[in-house]
Amino acid sequence: KQWYQRRVGGEMNSGQNRNIASFSLGQLYPANTAEWLTYQGGLTTPPCSEIVDWVVVTKPLTISNAQLKKLRAMPLGDRNMDALPRNWRNTQNLNGRRSKLFLRSG
């Protein structure tokens, strides 16, 4: 199984849906999440609406170049849309936004 299939659980059969209701995004985070940043921003793809509360861990999850290549080639939607190899937008002005650093004590 691929790493993301092991994290989500269950088998993926071609053309079938899979119930991932019990999947926690926290499973993808590094073990130590004592520090994280938040900021208000926008979607990275059109229409780039400013509706996102981003959460960024200070020690990011890393992937290999081979994994990144596979991720960028993965079709979107229900495999009925093309892959999105460039899913980031250029750096934007802060427009008065501020980031917040959270530290977990203990």
Side-chain angles (χ1 to χ4, degrees), residues 5-104:
Q5 289 174 308
R6 287 192 303 273
R7 296 282 190 165
V8 172
E11 293 297 324
M12 186 169 180
N13 299 314
S14 179
Q16 295 182 357
N17 292 329
R18 178 170 43 161
N19 182 358
I20 60 170
S22 63
F23 174 63
S24 168
L25 288 176
Q27 294 175 325
L28 299 176
Y29 278 69
N32 181 2
T33 57
E35 297 180 2
W36 66 96
L37 301 165
T38 65
Y39 65 94
Q40 293 180 328
L43 297 172
T44 60
T45 56
C48 299
S49 305
E50 299 281 332
I51 58 170
V52 180
D53 287 320
W54 290 100
V55 177
V56 182
V57 292
T58 57
K59 294 186 180 181
L61 181 70
T62 59
I63 61 175
S64 69
N65 284 333
Q67 290 170 318
L68 180 60
K69 186 176 178 179
K70 285 183 179 181
L71 188 61
R72 288 183 172 166
M74 192 179 297
L76 299 177
D78 193 17
R79 297 191 173 273
N80 59 347
M81 298 168 56
D82 292 335
L84 187 61
R86 184 186 185 276
N87 68 339
W88 62 90
R89 68 194 271 204
N90 296 330
T91 302
Q92 304 294 302
N93 292 328
L94 289 176
N95 295 325
R97 289 185 293 243
R98 301 181 111 177
S99 61
K100 296 178 186 175
L101 174 63
F102 291 88
L103 303 171
R104 182 180 300 147

